[in-house]
Amino acid sequence: MLRLNDRRLLGALDELAGIGAIEGGGCARLALTDEDKAGRDLVVGWMKAEGLDVRVDAIGNVIGLRAGREALTPVMTGSHIDTVRTGGRYDGNYGVLAGLEVVRALNEAKLVTRRPIAVAFFTNEEGARFQPDMMGSLVYAGGIGLNEAYAAVDKEGVSVGDELRRIGYLGPHKPGALKPHAFVELHIEQGPILDEEKVQIGVVESVQGISWIEYTATGVSNHAGTTPMRLRRDAGYLAASVNLFARKLAWEMGGNQVATVGALSLRPNLINVVPNRAVFAVDLRNTDEAKLKEAEARVAAHIAEVAAAERVEVEADVLARFEPVIFDTKLVDRVEHHAKALSLSTRRMPSGAGHDAQMMQRLCPTAMIFVPSVQGLSHNVKEHTEAADLAAGAQILLNLMLELAEE
Ligand code: HGY
Ligand code: MN
Ligand code: MN
């Protein structure tokens, strides 16, 4: 069996983590920032050094292509190398660098597969700076057009289109022009299940639905000391009540329902002024679309009720909305087969996080391989996966890709 060079994979992960490195061992490479550009340049350099035909598409997705014996549709793997602001070193990066390691192993063995092999990283998977998340793979899969993606702006009003041009990654290739034979994404679980159950490999069957809605509440700023409670039109109070309501709702609904108000800004944000403006985002997720819709409706009803009582205006802006995605069952079975062939313990599971794979399933049979996240930590500088688990996941990726590339 062709073996992956685990040490080299760990070294590459460390080197990439050095770009945008932050206190505590994590990295901050928000999409299309200088740090993202530096990370992109490093990985593109590695791709070119392995002789890959590197193609940058019009939304900045980068695909390294290795020719096969026959000009067939490629077997593709990949993920993302942009991070959240408090990112760990494995989220996304691991899947891209493991894919590169597959290529290195093939090159060292001087093996040419029947089908071409492609390793990709997609633009702005995180959605932390520009929404929606999974933007590059969504464009690649035809989910939104280039102009809609280019027009997305960050909090400073800077657009995706301008930033792609600025960092030199607005490429000539048409997104989605290269339709894969199959797509496999290797990723850390980012949750506690595998770690708690001491299971080595997650066989991912689906990705849960995601709802991101940003609310702008407008009240009246007023003196904190002189304004009686009966006269207040407090936008900050509305935001706080939504956070409490959403959390209580998630507990009450149970199952896979989760709710987060992670982004909140108040204006004027001063100790002695009743806030007249609150901008906050509600992140709701569930594996069940009907339940996710219910959660959205109940949050909206709560907002309407509090807004009326507090005499606050509220505008809603849907930043991202993706229904749950079911991966190709045969390919999922093959992930499980290859994990068991390596005597690794497995369990089937949904993904709590969004991934580029959920977009690629629109184009071709797609599946994901999860490895454990220690204490389920992610989007946190303390994100960690043991070296043996990183190696095991990457070996499954190699074995499955080799099998797919010969069919
Ligand atoms: O939010 C997510 O699930 C992913 O990290 N973009
Ligand atoms: Mn990720
Ligand atoms: Mn992430």
Side-chain angles (χ1 to χ4, degrees):
M1 172 171 66
L2 189 58
R3 279 261 164 227
L4 227 86
N5 184 326
D6 314 336
R7 294 183 56 75
R8 192 170 48 199
L9 172 58
L10 294 174
L13 279 163
D14 283 349
E15 192 167 343
L16 182 54
I19 297 182
I22 49 175
E23 186 70 21
C27 27
R29 291 198 305 272
L30 285 171
L32 308 184
T33 56
D34 292 341
E35 292 77 16
D36 185 21
K37 171 181 170 47
R40 287 167 168 262
D41 292 349
L42 178 68
V43 177
V44 166
W46 285 338
M47 288 179 164
K48 287 182 176 164
E50 292 304 321
L52 295 183
D53 164 12
V54 178
R55 299 176 182 181
V56 182
D57 75 15
I59 190 63
N61 297 321
V62 174
I63 297 175
L65 195 58
R66 182 177 195 267
R69 298 192 302 274
E70 299 172 37
L72 299 167
T73 50
V75 174
M76 189 185 283
T77 187
S79 193
H80 61 95
I81 59 171
D82 66 299
T83 74
V84 293
R85 197 189 311 253
T86 56
R89 54 181 52 205
Y90 303 105
D91 177 2
N93 304 315
Y94 169 52
V96 175
L97 297 182
L100 193 58
E101 212 35 64
V102 167
V103 167
R104 286 177 167 146
L106 290 171
N107 284 346
E108 279 170 347
K110 297 189 178 31
L111 243 175
V112 182
T113 51
R114 179 175 179 233
R115 290 180 176 277
I117 295 273
V119 183
F121 60 81
F122 295 100
T123 295
N124 185 33
E125 186 279 341
E126 290 295 358
R129 180 184 179 197
F130 302 104
Q131 293 79 34
D133 54 347
M134 286 76 74
M135 183 185 277
S137 48
L138 181 63
V139 170
Y140 195 92
I144 57 169
L146 275 172
N147 291 334
E148 187 181 342
Y150 288 158
V153 291
D154 67 8
K155 288 294 176 213
E156 276 61 55
V158 178
S159 74
V160 164
D162 288 347
E163 286 291 83
L164 277 171
R165 259 182 290 278
R166 184 182 67 82
I167 67 168
Y169 275 89
L170 199 163
H173 289 272
K174 184 176 172 310
L178 196 63
K179 196 171 167 311
H181 168 65
F183 182 83
V184 184
E185 182 169 359
L186 174 62
H187 206 286
I188 55 172
E189 177 202 336
Q190 301 185 281
I193 297 169
L194 295 175
D195 190 45
E196 285 176 351
E197 297 179 3
K198 298 284 169 265
V199 171
Q200 291 167 300
I201 297 293
V203 178
V204 188
E205 297 181 297
S206 63
V207 177
Q208 67 179 345
I210 299 176
S211 163
W212 283 2
I213 300 180
E214 182 178 80
Y215 294 97
T216 302
T218 308
V220 174
S221 63
N222 222 323
H223 195 296
T226 58
T227 312
M229 297 315 286
R230 61 185 168 79
L231 290 184
R232 293 185 181 216
R233 300 174 63 180
D234 183 341
Y237 162 70
L238 181 130
S241 79
V242 175
N243 194 339
L244 286 174
F245 177 83
R247 186 174 174 93
K248 241 172 80 220
L249 178 67
W251 275 107
E252 181 203 306
M253 290 180 72
N256 289 310
Q257 185 61 50
V258 287
T260 315
V261 175
L264 164 66
S265 68
L266 297 177
R267 202 175 62 183
N269 200 31
L270 297 170
I271 187 165
N272 58 354
V273 182
V274 175
N276 68 338
R277 199 168 87 128
V279 180
F280 59 101
V282 179
D283 178 323
L284 299 170
R285 310 206 194 185
N286 200 310
T287 48
D288 178 321
E289 175 61 13
K291 290 212 174 75
L292 183 55
K293 279 206 176 85
E294 180 198 336
E296 286 177 315
R298 290 175 66 179
V299 167
H302 175 79
I303 289 175
E305 188 192 325
V306 176
E310 191 69 14
R311 294 172 300 139
V312 165
E313 301 300 318
V314 180
E315 280 161 37
D317 180 17
V318 178
L319 299 180
R321 182 60 169 92
F322 301 120
E323 296 195 2
V325 170
I326 310 292
F327 288 132
D328 179 89
T329 50
K330 287 201 210 68
L331 195 52
V332 171
D333 292 348
R334 291 168 78 170
V335 167
E336 191 170 58
H337 164 77
H338 280 282
K340 290 187 174 339
L342 294 173
S343 314
L344 296 164
S345 56
T346 66
R347 69 105 81 199
R348 287 174 174 248
M349 60 196 292
S351 172
H355 297 287
D356 295 308
Q358 74 189 83
M359 304 306 171
M360 296 306 283
Q361 177 57 51
R362 301 182 189 196
L363 292 178
C364 65
T366 296
M368 290 190 75
I369 307 161
F370 272 175
V371 293
S373 292
V374 173
Q375 291 180 357
L377 272 181
S378 184
H379 286 187
N380 178 314
V381 295
K382 293 196 171 46
E383 177 181 279
H384 182 67
T385 294
E386 301 301 346
D389 292 330
L390 294 169
Q395 189 64 48
I396 295 169
L397 179 71
L398 173 60
N399 296 352
L400 176 54
M401 287 188 75
L402 287 186
E403 181 183 81
L404 288 163
E406 292 305 324
E407 63 188 19

